[in-house]
Amino acid sequence: MIFFQYEDAEQKIKKLLVSKKSPNVLQDVVDVLYEDFDTYNWVGIYLVKGEHLFLGPWNGTQATEHTEIPIGTGVCGAAAKTGRTELVDDVSKDKRYLSCFLSTRSEIVVPIKKKNIVIGEIDIDSDAPAAFTINDTVFLEKVADMLSQHI
Ligand code: SME
């Protein structure tokens, strides 16, 4: 992954977030992530409501059946519970993994926090094994920070 792609996408998202106050701004951010990174094959935002995560805006070729996930369940639920980014290089080796798409090989889940409380998360599936690096973690944690003002 070429480094300027992260900076480019970060600037695009920053612009979107300052220029728009529309309720679709989360979808717009999901679309930028999906379209700008070849290895981001499914991108979604889950929002915390009570003890569950509910799927919000998403982009990808298929819908997921996991539209509601209890906190503590799956990779998504683990990230929501601990407030820490989860990076899974090989989903077939992670017992927590809830399968959505047969093609998925790796996954990253980045919590969105407000005053240290998890209010949502960015979930990205890739068809490539070990698709996510520290660069993706740093970039997506910045995006999650920016998003927390808009949820
Ligand atoms: N794989 C996730 C479930 C969400 S789908 O990837 C869209 C998990 O293990 O929590």
Side-chain angles (χ1 to χ4, degrees):
M1 181 63 61
I2 305 161
F3 194 67
F4 71 76
Q5 271 193 279
Y6 296 104
E7 294 204 340
D8 208 44
E10 191 184 327
Q11 290 313 317
K12 254 191 221 178
I13 291 167
K14 257 186 200 155
K15 264 195 194 160
L16 264 176
L17 294 176
V18 290
S19 66
K20 279 201 187 176
K21 288 268 181 252
S22 89
N24 290 333
V25 80
L26 296 185
Q27 181 73 59
D28 295 340
V29 171
V30 162
D31 294 346
V32 169
L33 294 174
Y34 179 71
E35 280 154 21
D36 280 18
F37 295 89
D38 289 347
T39 51
Y40 294 7
N41 298 117
W42 187 92
V43 180
I45 291 179
Y46 283 90
L47 299 169
V48 173
K49 215 172 184 190
E51 295 302 307
H52 290 78
L53 291 157
F54 291 88
L55 183 61
W58 62 274
N59 199 337
T61 53
Q62 294 173 68
T64 174
E65 66 188 58
H66 296 294
T67 54
E68 183 180 346
I69 301 173
I71 290 178
T73 299
V75 181
C76 286
K81 195 171 177 182
T82 62
R84 284 195 297 271
T85 294
E86 288 286 345
L87 208 162
V88 181
D89 283 343
D90 180 349
V91 293
S92 72
K93 295 211 170 87
D94 194 315
K95 288 197 175 71
R96 303 166 305 172
Y97 177 67
L98 299 171
S99 174
C100 291
F101 318 110
L102 287 176
S103 56
T104 298
R105 303 287 303 280
S106 56
E107 177 169 22
I108 189 168
V109 184
V110 180
I112 302 169
K113 293 182 260 187
K114 218 177 228 175
K115 292 185 182 156
N116 237 19
I117 309 264
V118 179
I119 56 170
E121 57 190 32
I122 302 167
D123 176 24
I124 305 181
D125 285 26
S126 180
D127 295 348
F132 306 103
T133 66
I134 184 70
N135 294 333
D136 297 281
T137 304
V138 169
F139 163 64
L140 292 166
E141 286 181 352
K142 274 189 209 161
V143 175
D145 260 2
M146 293 193 264
L147 284 177
S148 70
Q149 312 303 315
H150 296 265
I151 292 173

